[in-house]
Amino acid sequence: MFATSPVQQMLFEQRRIFVKRDDLLHPDFSGNKARKFYHFLSRDYSHITHLVGSGSAQANSLYSMSVLAKQRGWQFDYYVSHLSDFIIKHPSGNYAAAIANGANIIDVSQLKQATQYQQMHLDDVVKQIVKFSYTQPSSLLHIPEGGRCEYAESGLAILAKEIIDWIQLNNISELKVFLPSGTGTTAAYLNKQLMQQLACNDVIRLNLEVITCSTVGGDDYLTTQFALLVDEDYFPTVVNDGRKYHFGKLTRRCFDMWKSVNESGIEFELLYDPVGFLVLKDYLVKHLDWQGDIMYLHQGGLLGNQTMLPRYQRKFSK
Ligand SMILES: *Cc1c(COP(=O)(O)O)cnc(C)c1O
């Protein structure tokens, strides 16, 4: 369904790192979400007529789900806890593209049950709505926020296989795979699949570690997420640089890091990658003796830059 995504080299902090270009996986899917939604693309879902999702109005998953729904001819309802006046007046990025694909974006705070929903987590609100507001549950598919569900594993098994093939082809013996996390679904399943597939491989002798960092709620949040998905044996390594990052917060450090990595000629995205590279930089400084190879997973999401970059420019380019 997808071609193997290429691996390229770039210079980062005076060292060569490999970049796995999942951003090039498919023009219409945000790379990471193409892996996570692979299950829904590859299976027969002809009994479904309606897709329900939820999350932020800027989310890469909003866009990718809208593509999925459009391809399959499904109606698509996407619930957000809040829609800003700005984005309604100036639609851009994932939000604008999703609307163009026919997404029906619903602001929960504007529903008549809004007061009842106020204290609830969006995921729980949507569970209630799914239970009571749709008449034909058997034809409805509900994907939890960020694609955090067991269905994500089959697409990440393919990513793991691509990485193992590349390792074999290039005679890599020591590798650290680094990726920034949101829900941690990608990191957890990728690590599990790499470990399981390598255990069945007699050819490769490899010292491998999957390392990730939180862009959302700190290390404990991430470990809690892992525990919902995989056994503790499969937890990836979580590292931090001593700072707490708030998702989507615009900081000069993040913007500067983004500009600096883009000088490699590869465009990165503005929500996860700046934090990823800041933490990777700190990690490299702390592990100067590490002589093995490093692979950074580029998880796509570039469409979101259409929204994030103007926001950054308004804030910092004076
Ligand atoms: C969704 C997304 C992530 C986070 O993936 P998780 O599986 O939720 O950790 C990271 N980077 C990009 C570009 C994404 O779209």
Side-chain angles (χ1 to χ4, degrees):
M1 175 150 332
F2 298 122
T4 299
S5 69
V7 176
Q8 295 169 351
Q9 298 184 17
M10 74 178 248
L11 210 59
F12 179 66
E13 296 299 309
Q14 285 100 50
R15 63 178 290 168
R16 176 191 70 176
I17 66 170
F18 294 103
V19 182
K20 174 75 172 156
R21 299 286 308 270
D22 263 11
D23 57 311
L24 301 177
L25 213 50
H26 191 283
D28 293 331
F29 285 91
S30 191
N32 170 280
K33 305 304 176 287
R35 299 290 189 189
K36 288 209 265 192
F37 296 162
Y38 175 80
H39 170 91
F40 301 108
L41 285 162
S42 58
R43 301 294 167 90
D44 177 27
Y45 272 91
S46 53
H47 59 292
I48 296 297
T49 59
H50 222 114
L51 174 66
V52 171
S54 59
S56 120
Q58 313 286 357
N60 299 328
S61 54
L62 163 58
Y63 170 61
S64 294
M65 279 196 252
S66 77
V67 175
L68 178 63
K70 190 181 170 189
Q71 283 188 358
R72 289 293 175 103
W74 298 336
Q75 276 192 61
F76 176 37
D77 290 344
Y78 185 87
Y79 293 88
V80 298
S81 34
H82 175 72
L83 265 185
S84 71
D85 286 338
F86 187 85
I87 193 155
I88 294 171
K89 289 203 191 96
H90 310 275
S92 68
N94 289 315
Y95 176 83
I99 288 182
N101 283 336
N104 182 22
I105 299 174
I106 303 154
D107 181 349
V108 168
S109 71
Q110 299 299 312
L111 295 175
K112 70 175 190 297
Q113 303 91 334
T115 40
Q116 176 195 331
Y117 294 149
Q118 230 160 42
Q119 301 300 325
M120 288 164 62
H121 190 277
L122 183 61
D123 259 347
D124 297 323
V125 170
V126 176
K127 271 187 208 145
Q128 290 262 321
I129 293 174
V130 163
K131 204 159 157 193
F132 298 115
S133 305
Y134 292 90
T135 44
Q136 287 197 304
S138 60
S139 57
L140 182 146
L141 173 65
H142 174 208
I143 302 183
E145 183 167 359
R148 173 165 44 73
C149 55
E150 69 274 19
Y151 298 119
E153 189 165 357
S154 59
L156 290 162
I158 299 173
L159 172 60
K161 175 156 192 318
E162 288 179 22
I163 294 176
I164 290 174
D165 289 346
W166 175 85
I167 287 167
Q168 200 154 352
L169 198 68
N170 292 279
N171 288 317
I172 307 286
S173 59
E174 299 207 62
L175 184 69
K176 294 190 193 283
V177 177
F178 190 97
L179 71 161
S181 279
T183 64
T185 309
T186 308
Y189 284 139
L190 177 61
N191 191 41
K192 177 182 169 188
Q193 282 296 325
L194 283 168
M195 285 175 71
Q196 287 189 343
Q197 292 180 32
L198 283 168
C200 310
N201 187 311
D202 317 319
V203 184
I204 301 178
R205 290 269 159 274
L206 179 74
N207 180 1
L208 174 88
E209 188 177 15
V210 172
I211 306 176
T212 188
C213 64
S214 176
T215 60
V216 180
D219 297 0
D220 291 344
Y221 160 80
L222 205 50
T223 314
T224 315
Q225 296 297 305
F226 295 158
L228 297 172
L229 301 167
V230 297
D231 283 347
E232 204 172 332
D233 300 346
Y234 296 127
F235 285 12
T237 306
V238 178
V239 297
N240 65 66
D241 64 356
R243 290 172 189 260
K244 192 153 182 148
Y245 292 97
H246 299 277
F247 192 65
K249 188 165 179 224
L250 312 186
T251 67
R252 188 172 289 276
R253 288 176 73 247
C254 282
F255 194 31
D256 287 346
M257 178 50 87
W258 179 80
K259 285 188 283 194
S260 140
V261 288
N262 277 6
E263 280 165 17
S264 68
I266 301 174
E267 184 185 354
F268 289 91
E269 63 82 58
L270 273 158
L271 281 167
Y272 300 90
D273 286 329
V275 178
F277 280 110
L278 283 165
V279 176
L280 177 59
K281 178 179 170 180
D282 179 75
Y283 181 86
L284 292 176
V285 169
K286 288 176 182 158
H287 296 80
L288 284 175
D289 53 337
W290 166 253
Q291 295 300 321
D293 288 305
I294 302 209
M295 173 185 273
Y296 185 91
L297 181 61
H298 190 325
Q299 303 178 81
L302 297 179
L303 187 57
N305 287 1
Q306 286 179 16
T307 310
M308 288 300 284
L309 187 56
R311 290 182 65 205
Y312 263 113
Q313 285 164 338
R314 280 195 296 275
K315 184 153 180 183
F316 291 122
S317 288
K318 284 173 205 94

